[in-house]
Amino acid sequence: MSVKLRKINEQVMVITGATSGIGLSTARMAAREGARLVLAARADDALDELASELKRAHGTEVITVTADVGKIDDVERIGAAAIERFGRIDTWVNNAGISIYGRLEDVSPEDHHRLFQTNFWGVVNGSLEAVKRMKQRGGGALINVGSELSDHGIPLQGMYAASKHAVKGFTDSLRLELEKEEAPMSVTLVKPSGIDTMFAVHAKNYMDKEPKLPSPVYAPELVADAILYAAQYPKRDVFVGGAAKMNSSGSRMMPRAFDKFVKATMFANQKQERSTDPGRRDALYKPDHTRELRERQGIYKTHERSPYTAASMRSGPVTTALLGGGALLAAFALSRRLAR
């Protein structure tokens, strides 16, 4: 069934995790393009400030819902608020997420469960609420923010990788069920590479050094652009950053060689040189209000463009396959250099 999606300036868009990083960048970009917005996050003061900013700057029609996406009742309130104010939802973006740095054996069971509550069950709760609301009113786009780690594992963020694998499995299964019943919905999984957000700052840390993202690191606006594109044009998957596609291809086609690459690089490359502050705060259980409304951490050499992502979003299947082949060749060359 052909799914017809509205242009952004005609849309009502729900965005979770809207007060930081990718969610914040997406909210600001969507506001500039004229969308009406339903913004959800745990930080109520930051939500109010963001809503005021968007109204002043763009005249945006926006409502906010203070919500923890891991709680079904909170997510139902997001859907109800959107319908009450705007009468429909055209795009629902499940973006909220958190990470933990540390060896899996060192992390407490409570922290493991809390991460999954947000990263996986938050996506499940949001997706099912979106489907319920959108199927009744003509359909639309469901966009789940996964990760390049939806396709491969990584040390020191093992449970985060597991949660993103689970998000991929859930999203793919939901898409098939909706396609079988010919529901008028597009379901997209966005898989970013490392993105210059407050990701590492918000993560809980069990390591003796401050955490960081391994390079290459890309701009959050690239993910926001991919999300807004998928909100208007049905896409199954979007990799943000050529490195994301290369790593996915390498792990699938050359798993043992890719394991060696990850083992050789990803322990050191996820640690800064400076020691962790004993009083370090994180956002695993509650928001850090002092670090909200920031799109970027600003410590990385950030790639502001991704030719791969730009080409793959706007190309047909043949070009996309050729781009994927190029990424695979790059992964193969990298594995050969590592083996020497």
Side-chain angles (χ1 to χ4, degrees):
M1 178 179 182
S2 177
V3 178
K4 295 183 179 179
L5 303 176
R6 300 173 187 264
K7 298 300 183 184
I8 293 298
N9 63 1
E10 301 172 343
Q11 287 204 17
V12 175
M13 180 177 292
V14 174
I15 304 171
T16 70
T19 57
S20 182
I22 292 169
L24 179 58
S25 184
T26 304
R28 286 171 169 162
M29 191 176 291
R32 286 196 297 271
E33 295 193 18
R36 289 174 287 175
L37 298 176
V38 181
L39 305 180
R42 296 176 298 173
D44 49 358
D45 291 345
L47 279 171
D48 291 342
E49 187 175 343
L50 177 58
S52 296
E53 171 199 322
L54 299 181
K55 289 174 183 176
R56 288 194 310 269
H58 309 291
T60 306
E61 292 185 65
V62 55
I63 62 171
T64 64
V65 182
T66 305
D68 181 335
V69 295
K71 299 178 180 178
I72 294 175
D73 290 347
D74 281 15
V75 175
E76 289 177 343
R77 285 194 297 105
I78 299 172
I83 298 302
E84 180 179 356
R85 173 63 182 274
F86 298 117
R88 69 171 196 271
I89 300 167
D90 299 300
T91 294
W92 185 299
V93 183
N94 286 310
N95 163 74
I98 192 72
S99 191
I100 300 171
Y101 282 80
R103 295 175 69 253
L104 286 164
E105 295 175 81
D106 294 338
V107 178
S108 74
E110 294 79 11
D111 288 352
H112 280 319
H113 282 259
R114 175 60 192 181
L115 181 149
F116 241 81
Q117 194 68 30
T118 298
N119 290 12
F120 176 66
W121 288 109
V123 169
V124 172
N125 296 339
S127 296
L128 297 180
E129 179 69 14
V131 168
K132 178 179 71 175
R133 300 288 184 177
M134 295 164 78
K135 281 172 64 176
Q136 296 171 353
R137 292 170 171 82
L142 170 64
I143 302 171
N144 291 338
V145 179
S147 167
E148 66 173 283
L149 299 184
S150 297
D151 294 338
H152 66 86
I154 191 173
L156 302 180
Q157 288 191 78
M159 198 55 68
Y160 177 81
S163 71
K164 294 302 185 178
H165 274 64
V167 165
K168 178 184 184 300
F170 168 79
T171 302
D172 289 348
S173 298
L174 178 61
R175 183 188 300 109
L176 291 170
E177 292 180 2
L178 292 172
E179 288 178 353
K180 176 64 175 177
E181 66 178 89
E182 297 188 345
M185 291 191 64
S186 169
V187 180
T188 301
L189 181 64
V190 178
K191 302 178 185 178
S193 184
I195 305 297
D196 185 3
T197 67
M198 300 298 284
F199 178 91
V201 175
H202 285 157
K204 186 161 186 178
N205 186 29
Y206 279 79
M207 306 186 302
D208 60 347
K209 301 290 185 181
E210 275 295 305
K212 69 180 182 73
L213 294 170
S215 61
V217 176
Y218 297 84
E221 290 86 353
L222 297 178
V223 190
D225 182 59
I227 289 170
L228 296 193
Y229 186 86
Q232 300 170 89
Y233 307 100
K235 297 287 287 186
R236 185 183 190 277
D237 299 284
V238 180
F239 288 92
V240 180
K245 181 61 177 179
M246 183 185 77
N247 290 336
S248 174
S249 298
S251 66
R252 184 177 69 255
M253 304 300 292
M254 299 169 293
R256 287 305 299 155
F258 188 78
D259 283 351
K260 291 179 181 179
F261 164 69
V262 170
K263 183 171 63 175
T265 60
M266 291 301 168
F267 283 93
N269 287 349
Q270 295 186 84
K271 296 180 181 180
Q272 298 185 44
E273 293 183 0
R274 64 188 182 94
S275 298
T276 296
D277 184 345
R280 183 184 190 277
R281 294 173 296 182
D282 61 73
L284 182 62
Y285 289 92
K286 60 183 180 180
D288 181 353
H289 293 272
T290 65
R291 291 168 170 168
E292 295 293 330
L293 297 181
R294 290 179 58 183
E295 293 182 29
R296 304 190 186 201
Q297 186 177 355
I299 67 170
Y300 304 102
K301 181 180 179 181
T302 301
H303 294 263
E304 301 295 331
R305 297 175 62 250
S306 172
Y308 169 82
T309 300
S312 66
M313 282 196 299
R314 294 163 174 85
S315 64
V318 174
T319 303
T320 301
L322 291 173
L323 290 167
L328 181 58
L329 287 174
F332 177 72
L334 182 63
S335 68
R336 293 278 293 180
R337 287 199 301 271
L338 184 66
R340 290 173 182 168

